[in-house]
Amino acid sequence: MHLVVQACILGILTGGVYALMASGLTLVFGVMRVINVAQGALVILSAYLSWALFMHFQIDPFLSVLIVAPLMFALGVSVQLVFIRSLRSEQAEELSLLITWALALGIEGILGAVYETTYRATNTTYANSSWTVFGYHVSVVRAYAFALSVVILVLLYLLLARTRFGRSVRATVQNPASALLLGVNADRVRAVAFGIGVSTAAAAGAVYGVLYPFNPGSHYDLISRLLSIVVLGGLGSVAGAVAAALLMGVVEAIVAVEISPVWSSFSYFVVLVVILLLRPQGFFGARQRTL
Amino acid sequence: MSRVRLAVLITLSLAAIAVPLTAASGASSGQAKGKTITIGISLSLSGDFSDSGKAAMRGYQLWRDVVNAHGGLLGNQVKLKILDDTSSPTQVVTNYQTLITKDKVAFVFGPFSTLLTAPAATVANRYHYAFIEPAGGGPAVFGEKLHNVFFTQPAPIIDSADVFAHYILSLPKSKRPKTAAYPSLDDPFASPIADRVRTLLQKAGIKTVYKTIYPSETTDLTPIVSKYAAKKPDLVVGGTQNDDAYAQVKAMVQLKFSPKFLFLSNGPNDPAEFPGKVGQKNVNGIFSTGDWFPDSKSPGNKAFVKAYLKKYGGGSGSIDPTSAEAFATGQVLQLAVAKTHSLDNGKIISALHKGNWPTVEGVLHWNSIGEPQGSDLLVEWVHHKLYPVYPKSIALHAPTAPKPPWGKG
């Protein structure tokens, strides 16, 4: 029982970080029907930027989010304006897949050329510390990472639910034509939403770099997980992504402890398939356009 | 038109037949003093293995400089022709085909990693070239049972941790671990290594309390570590590659579990990377294995390290073992040429199947399929430095056990 509880703690903390990574992906899909398969590569790019700031200027990775996030926002807006905006045809979804995949490969190539393929890790003084609470070990870094994820997801929620821009986003998600008629500048909304989606990768990357060693090829594993989280949560639903990420974290940790690590990823996919059979739209799929 | 096409076809067919013949004759081109001879190599200068590919290139180029400074091979200056295979097993085949049939190089050296060496060795074998290679030590290479392959490390990769089992069994019974856990990566160069150690230690009565193989996509090893930590094994033997080794150590520190003995087959043996990944204060007492170390007493190693630092700068701790392996590849050819007094690949292959060959990787000798018959070195982090500790003949420090708690030592 002790092990299961320990696994649940770990799973929830890990799931929180994946929720942060997946929220940007699902937001971008909700607003513009673009499956940004470069999200994993953008997380790794952010991990490198955060690592570089830590190595060269000793800036704590959690603080470096304040520097990296605006850069990633600018990158996201630029990518949307230059590559995605022009895709207005019926094949925009498929073409955006190709464009974002090319972006992922481009980022991987550049990172490989600049930083080589050696694994890197942002090793802060507290990277290996843990608290012992009622006999359970809670990793300090994971707790910080979880807290950061919660803060950013709450900010994202407030932005979407309580601001004029958020209303514009939701209007664009629900009915782009009507939103346009009501004076919403859909182009601007799409560009800014893509930028926000990409900038969530900044926080996720900073955290990823502290938790796991990474190299330019690490995005392949990451994007497959993120896509499965987004599908399980319901495409376009940030709340669904959070729920799915937490479920993934807990299921994988418990199966790794109680059965075998060989089955941990597989078991999550079994859960994914079963839920999709019962509810093809995912957890929050029916409300996917309302966020 | 059809006649022209027929003529083209016949010409091409003849060329296809003639190329291997000319190449084969190139492979046994005898000796010609005072000329430049070219050695062809395919290396991963881009792609997944580019760091190691570049390290191998440094080793090869250093050997070229050294051999040329000493008069070359039988009076012929050595030139290297290096092609980039982009870490691709398909491109590596094309590259060796090109080097042998088009460039007609006198010799070829191996690329980086088993994945690329296995197909490359087959190409070299087809054209009767000796295939002295620094980095293809996995079963896929030796499984081909080629007579022209010579792996320039002390032992095949999957036997590399036997030396740790021998060390444990050399301890008096009262000091040996009683229980052991074996968490291993699902990788042909990781889990078979731990399996061999488990077999040896189980036979000696060390009880296995946990064993598992985790898939390569497992980024988070904390659940696995928490599982075996709960069983409190005296010894943990991890069949690892680098990143999962770092993750295991980090998880052990976070879960405050420090076994009496900790061996990880890869990861801790990289002095340049390991402390930065797990924290300098957490390295002490961790065992690993390796084929080469800067302070090694192997033949010619001091001169190699000196020449390396002169050419490339940095500290001896920053030398990638792959550079030493590549350098040893050159040394083996140099010795074989000197012994046979010939540049003939056939004679060199025959010569290398007999006798001992002193290199920076130790004194090497091979069985008929190119598997080295020596033993790797057991290394341990002592006072934040990595030392060869076993066998005694090569040790630069006595092994320390039990492992100090995390952050101590």
Side-chain angles (χ1 to χ4, degrees), chain B residues 185-245:
Chain B
L185 175 69
D186 187 5
D187 180 288
F189 304 112
S191 57
I193 296 175
D195 273 348
R196 282 183 63 94
V197 177
R198 184 169 53 83
T199 309
L200 292 166
L201 297 187
Q202 267 184 185
K203 258 190 212 161
I206 295 171
K207 194 178 160 197
T208 300
V209 292
Y210 178 82
K211 76 179 170 81
T212 194
I213 293 176
Y214 47 86
S216 57
E217 68 269 17
T218 313
T219 42
D220 204 332
L221 287 157
T222 316
I224 297 163
V225 175
S226 66
K227 177 81 175 178
Y228 66 69
K231 300 196 182 275
K232 297 186 171 56
D234 293 335
L235 162 68
V236 174
V237 174
T240 53
Q241 291 293 3
N242 289 2
D243 52 330
D244 59 313

Side-chain angles (χ1 to χ4, degrees), chain B residues 71-142:
Chain B
L73 293 176
L74 297 182
N76 302 288
Q77 288 290 293
V78 172
K79 188 180 141 202
L80 301 181
K81 169 125 193 181
I82 297 174
L83 303 179
D84 181 11
D85 53 44
T86 68
S87 308
S88 151
T90 320
Q91 187 60 40
V92 81
V93 169
T94 309
N95 284 357
Y96 280 103
Q97 290 272 15
T98 306
L99 289 167
I100 293 171
T101 61
K102 185 167 164 279
D103 299 324
K104 298 184 174 54
V105 296
F107 298 105
V108 287
F109 286 159
F112 179 79
S113 98
T114 292
L115 182 70
L116 274 66
T117 301
T122 312
V123 176
N125 187 57
R126 192 183 310 147
Y127 295 105
H128 314 296
Y129 272 64
F131 203 64
I132 310 168
E133 53 95 0
V141 172
F142 307 121

Side-chain angles (χ1 to χ4, degrees), chain B residues 36-330:
Chain B
T36 298
I37 60 165
T38 307
I39 298 174
I41 314 163
S42 175
L43 284 173
S44 303
L45 302 179
S46 55
D48 289 350
F49 311 137
S50 58
D51 288 2
S52 302
K54 287 172 191 164
M57 183 165 75
R58 290 195 292 275
Y60 283 138
Q61 290 177 336
L62 180 63
W63 170 77
R64 175 204 57 199
D65 294 352
V66 170
V67 75
N68 283 341
H70 289 85
L73 293 176
L74 297 182
N76 302 288
Q77 288 290 293
V78 172
K79 188 180 141 202
L80 301 181
K81 169 125 193 181
I82 297 174
L83 303 179
D84 181 11
D85 53 44
T86 68
S87 308
S88 151
T90 320
Q91 187 60 40
V92 81
V93 169
T94 309
N95 284 357
Y96 280 103
Q97 290 272 15
T98 306
L99 289 167
I100 293 171
T101 61
K102 185 167 164 279
D103 299 324
K104 298 184 174 54
V105 296
F107 298 105
V108 287
F109 286 159
F112 179 79
S113 98
T114 292
L115 182 70
L116 274 66
T117 301
T122 312
V123 176
N125 187 57
R126 192 183 310 147
Y127 295 105
H128 314 296
Y129 272 64
F131 203 64
I132 310 168
E133 53 95 0
V141 172
F142 307 121
E144 295 290 331
K145 301 198 184 306
L146 301 176
H147 202 56
N148 65 325
V149 169
F150 303 93
F151 175 49
T152 55
Q153 290 187 33
I157 300 297
I158 63 163
D159 301 352
S160 61
D162 290 11
V163 67
F164 177 70
H166 297 150
Y167 157 66
I168 291 290
L169 298 178
S170 76
L171 296 172
K173 264 202 168 166
S174 60
K175 291 197 172 168
R176 285 184 201 170
K178 307 275 180 295
T179 53
Y182 300 90
S184 289
L185 175 69
D186 187 5
D187 180 288
F189 304 112
S191 57
I193 296 175
D195 273 348
R196 282 183 63 94
V197 177
R198 184 169 53 83
T199 309
L200 292 166
L201 297 187
Q202 267 184 185
K203 258 190 212 161
I206 295 171
K207 194 178 160 197
T208 300
V209 292
Y210 178 82
K211 76 179 170 81
T212 194
I213 293 176
Y214 47 86
S216 57
E217 68 269 17
T218 313
T219 42
D220 204 332
L221 287 157
T222 316
I224 297 163
V225 175
S226 66
K227 177 81 175 178
Y228 66 69
K231 300 196 182 275
K232 297 186 171 56
D234 293 335
L235 162 68
V236 174
V237 174
T240 53
Q241 291 293 3
N242 289 2
D243 52 330
D244 59 313
Y246 308 147
Q248 279 207 48
V249 172
K250 284 172 76 118
M252 277 189 242
V253 178
Q254 286 174 12
L255 294 170
K256 300 184 168 86
F257 168 66
S258 179
K260 286 181 188 161
F261 297 86
L262 173 57
F263 174 89
L264 300 169
S265 61
N266 267 305
N269 52 6
D270 186 342
E273 293 292 328
F274 188 61
K277 296 296 187 299
V278 302
Q280 175 77 29
K281 61 182 184 177
N282 294 319
V283 298
N284 287 331
I286 301 178
F287 288 98
S288 189
T289 183
D291 55 286
W292 176 86
F293 293 90
D295 298 328
S296 165
K297 298 179 208 165
S298 56
N301 191 52
K302 250 188 183 171
F304 162 72
V305 172
K306 200 174 158 194
Y308 184 99
L309 297 180
K310 192 176 168 200
K311 185 171 169 71
Y312 300 113
S316 62
S318 65
I319 304 175
D320 191 315
T322 307
S323 299
E325 292 150 14
F327 188 86
T329 299

Side-chain angles (χ1 to χ4, degrees), chain A residues 154-239:
Chain A
V154 167
L155 287 177
L156 196 58
Y157 169 78
L158 291 176
L159 178 75
L160 293 172
R162 303 284 167 86
T163 66
R164 188 179 165 77
F165 170 72
R167 279 199 297 278
S168 307
V169 169
R170 285 182 289 144
T172 310
V173 169
Q174 285 167 14
N175 194 329
S178 301
L180 202 62
L181 287 172
L182 289 168
V184 172
N185 184 344
D187 276 349
R188 209 189 96 217
V189 166
R190 286 196 183 98
V192 173
F194 197 88
I196 291 172
V198 170
S199 63
T200 61
V207 168
Y208 190 90
V210 181
L211 289 178
Y212 311 113
F214 57 92
N215 77 355
S218 301
H219 73 101
Y220 293 106
D221 282 344
L222 203 50
I223 192 61
S224 63
R225 274 167 184 270
L226 297 186
L227 285 173
S228 69
I229 288 169
V230 168
V231 170
L232 179 60
L235 285 163
S237 164
V238 174

